[in-house]
Every structure is written in structure tokens, then in C-alpha cells.
Amino acid sequence: MAENAKKKKTSWWAPAQRHLMTATGYMIPFVVAGGIIFALSVMISGQPSAPTTGWLGKLNSIGAAGLALFIPALGGYLAFSMADRPGLAPGFITAYLAVQIHAGFLGGILGGILAGYAVNLLKKIKLPANFRTLSSIFIYPLGGTLIAGGLMVFVLGGPIAEIMKALTNFLNGLHGAAKAPLGVLLGAMVGVDMGGPINKVAYTFAQTQVNTLPFLMGGVGAAGATPPIGLGIATLIFRNKFSSEERDAGIAALVMGTMGITEGAIPFATADPIRVIPANTIGAAVACLSGFMFGCLNHAPWGGLIVLPVVDHRLGYIAAVAMGAIVVAVIVGVTKKKYVAEDHTENSDDDDDIDFDVQNF
Amino acid sequence: MKIVGVTSCPSGVAHTYMAAEALQKAGKDKGIEVHIETQGASGADDTLTKDQISAADFVVLTNDTSIRGTDRFKGKKVVQMSATKIIEKADALMNKLEKMA
């Protein structure tokens, strides 16, 4: 009974989360390619604004193309995850429309959901077998795009654009201490699951607003680097508290943190979640808060130290990463017990405490 | 007993491969034949063959993100759970599946 009740409660949220995660996974390469090439062209030009002429202008246009596509990709793959292949085109088109009418990431996500939903509805229309190709070639792309795109352009786009404008104005209007709660919240979200769903929500929130609100990535980008760098430092300082595998992983984590890959912290968190996850959460919150306080602006939708060329107030950004990392390292170092090699196979074999359902596909 | 599985996770760099490794290790310890396809950020690796799938008693899938090509498992007994849970409890999962087979 209890199991059933629990299932009912999560029945819409679990798939919604899965679709969002799938979409973010497909979106990230667009962000990385676009963001880093964009950042590179700005760095080489030495000017504070994006270059428009010469070969640097052309390089910049490559990066800009990646950045122009990432919200459409988010919406497209959201619909793809919901409705499989027929969802992709309507989702891309609707999310592209959302960007055009300044409905931002909210519009992109909603556009993807609309398209996926529309195509799933159209799939319910049962045609005779010899007309089935008609569905995949005409009805799904045409109907799905008209329904979702139409809703976006005629009905929802305007109000969402207004919401986005209000949100942007509100966030832009935050000064000094007023940014603190947002900084702590976003930073903690980035640290708590190290590249998992909660991290992605915070990251996507900041990434999709990098053009209008670069201070968000200034904090979030620093926070994302913090857990792996902090744990890497911890393995160097507190050597006797880690196994030799963990010490090796520590070096890899340092590199990943520098590149802005929060996932580098995962091996440590799975080995010792009770100590490592709180340390990461607090450290990332400190880094994000510091980034906000130091007024760091990060113009690339990516984190780590690799984005330094396009960061305003670089020293502040480095300080934010360093402070967060030290917090992580100290908390882990102080709370962790001395490492004692143990026989893993023995206790894990007796652990039969697992619940799952077997479905017939 | 034979088991096939597909693992995947949102960013496709860590949990995907850790879950696959956990299943393979647990299978090796118990002498169960395990084949795992990973759908990570660099695409699908060790793609399951038709023979592997048809010979399998159970299919294990992660449910953190959408798995591509689930239609391959029509008519199979399928277990879905999060990659994290698989990493933690791969041994327990194998034990229980062995009792069910």
C-alpha cells in the first residue's frame, strides 16, 4: 500500500525529471562548443566585447552559432525524450520560436514540453495500417509543430516573455547583500548532487541567461569547479584519510574541476556520502556567494578555471573557487576518519536489502 | 543465469560507467554472465547484440534518463532503477534476481 501511494505521488515528477535530464545531456555539447569558442574569440581580440570583423569575427560567429542553438536543442530533445523521434522537429522549432520572441529558457523548456505533448496526442489517432507512413512523414511533424508552435507564438510566448523580462529585471536589480540568498541557493544546488538533476537545474538556469545576466555564471561557474578541486586538494593534504585509488582519483578530480566538470567529485561522494556531500554543498555555496559578492561576470555558459579569459574580475573569480575548494577540503579532512583498508566483498554480499519491480516489456 | 543491461545518466560521464562496472563486477563475483551497454556522452558503447538479448533472463535498465532503443527488449523481464542504486546495491540486485530466476 505504502509503496503504491509513493508511486502515485512521483508518477508525473519522475518522468518529467528524466525528460529534462535527457534534454540537458544533449544540450551541454552545444553549450561547451559554443561557449568556449565564443570565449576564445573574445580573449584573443583583447576587447571587452565580441569581435565582429576579421578572422576573429568569423571565429566568434562559430561560437555564436553554438550558443544560438542550445535552447532550441534543449526544447528539441525534451520533446524527443517525451515523444521519441517524431517529437524532435516540433520541439526544435517551437523552442527556436521561444528564443525569437524573447521567452528565454522558460519558453524553450515549455516549447519542448508542448511539442512532446502534442506529438503524443497525435499518436493516439489510429490510422488504418496502409496510411501509417502518413503519420510519421506528415501528421506528426506538421501537426506537432502547428499545435506547439502556434500555442507559443499566439498564446503563451507574450506572457512568458513578460515573465522573463520581470525575472531579468528583478535579478539585475539585486545588489550587494540582496544577492546572497540566491548565491547560497544556486551554489548549494550545484554542489549537492555534483552534476545530477539538482545541479543541472541551477546550471541551466544560469547558462540560459548568460547573455542578460552574466553574474549568474560568475557564481555558478566557480561553484561547479569547487567540489572536485576541493576534494583533489584534500587528497593531497590529508593523504592518510584516502585509499590509494582515491588519491589517484584526486589528481583526476583536480583536472576535471579546472575544466568545470563537477562530476569529478562523484567517486568520492559515492564512497563516503555522509561527509563528502555536505562538504561539497557548503563549499559550492561559499564559492557561488563569493563570486556574486566579488561582482564576477562570466560571459561563457560554462564553469571552472578554463573560462577565465571571459571573466570580468578574474582575481575575484579565482578567489571564489579557492575559498570554496578550501572549505570542501577542510570539512572533508576534519570529518573523515583515517583510512583503513577493509574487506569489501564480505559485507556487501550479505546486503540483500533492495526493492524493485520486474516488468514485462 | 544471464543478464543484459543498459546504463545511462544525465551528463553521461560518471554514473553511466560506474553503474555498468558495478553490474559487471557483481556478475563476475557470482559467475553470472553480464553484458552491459553504456549510453554515455560519447554515444553507445558495447551495444547489445540480438543473441545476447534473447539469451538473457533479465534486462536491467537505469531510469535516470531515457534509454534509447528500449523496443529491443519487448517480451523480456525488465528491472528499472537509478544508476546510483545500482552502484550501491549491485550485489543485492544480483542475489535477488538469482532467486527469482
Side-chain angles (χ1 to χ4, degrees), chain B residues 4 11 13 29 35-36 40 46-47 52 65 72-74 98:
Chain B
V4 294
S11 48
V13 293
D29 291 348
H35 295 283
I36 306 294
D46 304 318
T47 308
Q52 286 167 348
T65 60
R72 291 176 289 173
F73 309 121
K74 256 194 188 123
E98 209 159 29

Side-chain angles (χ1 to χ4, degrees), chain B residues 46-57:
Chain B
D46 304 318
T47 308
L48 297 172
T49 63
K50 268 203 178 111
D51 295 340
Q52 286 167 348
I53 294 171
S54 64
D57 301 280

Side-chain angles (χ1 to χ4, degrees), chain A residues 23-49:
Chain A
T24 337
Y26 281 105
M27 178 192 81
I28 287 169
F30 287 86
V31 171
V32 173
I36 293 179
I37 295 171
F38 190 91
L40 215 61
S41 74
V42 176
M43 174 182 73
I44 302 171
S45 80
Q47 303 293 322
S49 62

Side-chain angles (χ1 to χ4, degrees), chain A residues 18-19 21-22 25-26 81 200 263 266 270 348-349 351-361, chain B residues 10-11 15 18 30 63-66 68 73 75-78 80 85 89 91-93 95-96 99:
Chain A
R18 196 179 69 238
H19 297 318
M21 287 307 107
T22 305
Y26 281 105
S81 177
K200 289 285 178 285
E263 282 85 345
I266 289 174
T270 21
S348 59
D349 260 6
D351 181 14
D352 241 351
D353 177 30
I354 185 168
D355 266 325
F356 56 85
D357 295 322
V358 176
Q359 295 162 279
N360 280 310
F361 257 39
Chain B
S11 48
H15 284 110
M18 287 164 75
K30 298 190 199 320
N63 60 2
D64 309 66
T65 60
S66 307
R68 296 189 298 276
F73 309 121
K76 307 294 296 184
K77 288 182 189 136
V78 177
Q80 289 176 297
K85 203 166 171 190
K89 306 251 170 128
D91 287 307
L93 171 65
N95 281 340
K96 209 153 179 181
K99 276 175 207 155

